[in-house]
Amino acid sequence: MVNSPSDEKVGAAVTLGLLAAWALHDAEELATVPGWWRRELPALRERFPTVPEAVWRRAGSVDGREFAVAVGAMAALVAAASAAGRLTGGRSATYQAALNAFGLHGLVHLAQAALVRGCTPGSATSPLVVVPFTLWARHRLRRAGVLRATRPRDLAVGLGFAGAATAGAHAVARRLTGHGA
C-alpha cells in the first residue's frame, strides 16, 4: 500500500531535530567565534574598508561570555519553535519560519566563507548539518502535506527573522553580562 501525503507523519526527528541540528551548529560557533574575531578583525578591517568602524568595534567587543549568553538566548527561541513544530505535527508557521531561517542562516555562513576566502565560524557545519537538515526536514514536511508554500517574500521573512532573533539574542546578552550598561 502506498502512503498518501495525509498518511505521512512528521516525527520528532523533523521538528525537535531542528533544535538538535541548531545545537551542533552553534557548538561550532561557540568554539570558534571569539578567537576567530580576535585573529581576523585587523585583516577584515583592511580588506573591507567601506564597512563602518562602528560595525568593527561592535564585532570586536563581543567576548566569549557575552557570545555564550547570546547563544543561550537563541537556544530558547529555537527550542520554542521546535516545540511548536512538534505540537502541531510540523504545521506551525513559527516552526516552518524558524526552519527556513536556519537554512538561510547556513547559506549566509557559506557566503561569508566565500567572501573572506576561508573558513569562518559556522562554515564547517553549514554544508554538513544546517543545509542538509533543512532540505531533509522540508522534504518530510512536503511529503506529509504540511509544508507551506515558500514564496520569495517568505525567504525575506526568514532572513529577517534570523537577523532579528540574532540581534535580540545579543541585546539580551549585553544586558545580562553588563556590556550594555
Side-chain angles (χ1 to χ4, degrees):
M1 182 169 140
V2 176
N3 288 343
S4 70
S6 61
D7 294 336
E8 191 78 28
K9 298 283 188 216
V10 173
V14 175
T15 55
L16 300 179
L18 173 60
L19 180 58
W22 174 87
L24 284 171
H25 174 68
D26 268 46
E28 176 197 358
E29 290 186 334
L30 277 169
T32 59
V33 164
W36 188 88
W37 272 115
R38 272 192 308 279
R39 285 188 312 277
E40 300 298 326
L41 193 56
L44 290 171
R45 274 187 164 121
E46 187 175 312
R47 186 156 176 217
F48 301 104
T50 58
V51 172
E53 183 58 29
V55 171
W56 297 128
R57 272 196 313 274
R58 178 68 198 119
S61 73
V62 177
D63 63 16
R65 185 169 157 248
E66 180 182 335
F67 188 75
V69 172
V71 167
M74 186 66 80
L77 294 173
V78 176
S82 295
R86 182 73 181 133
L87 291 171
T88 63
R91 288 174 176 80
S92 164
T94 299
Y95 164 73
Q96 290 192 23
L99 178 64
N100 289 339
F102 182 60
L104 291 168
H105 173 78
L107 295 177
V108 167
H109 276 301
L110 295 175
Q112 289 169 336
L115 187 64
V116 302
R117 296 184 198 114
C119 194
T120 58
S123 66
T125 53
S126 287
L128 300 174
V129 176
V130 178
V131 173
F133 173 80
T134 302
L135 293 173
W136 174 79
R138 287 179 51 80
H139 171 75
R140 294 297 304 264
L141 294 170
R142 186 177 301 106
R143 281 189 53 185
V146 299
L147 182 65
R148 297 168 183 269
T150 304
R151 303 165 310 233
R153 176 185 174 276
D154 299 319
L155 297 176
V157 167
L159 278 174
F161 177 84
T166 300
H170 279 278
V172 167
R174 280 191 304 277
R175 181 85 177 207
L176 292 176
T177 61
H179 293 140

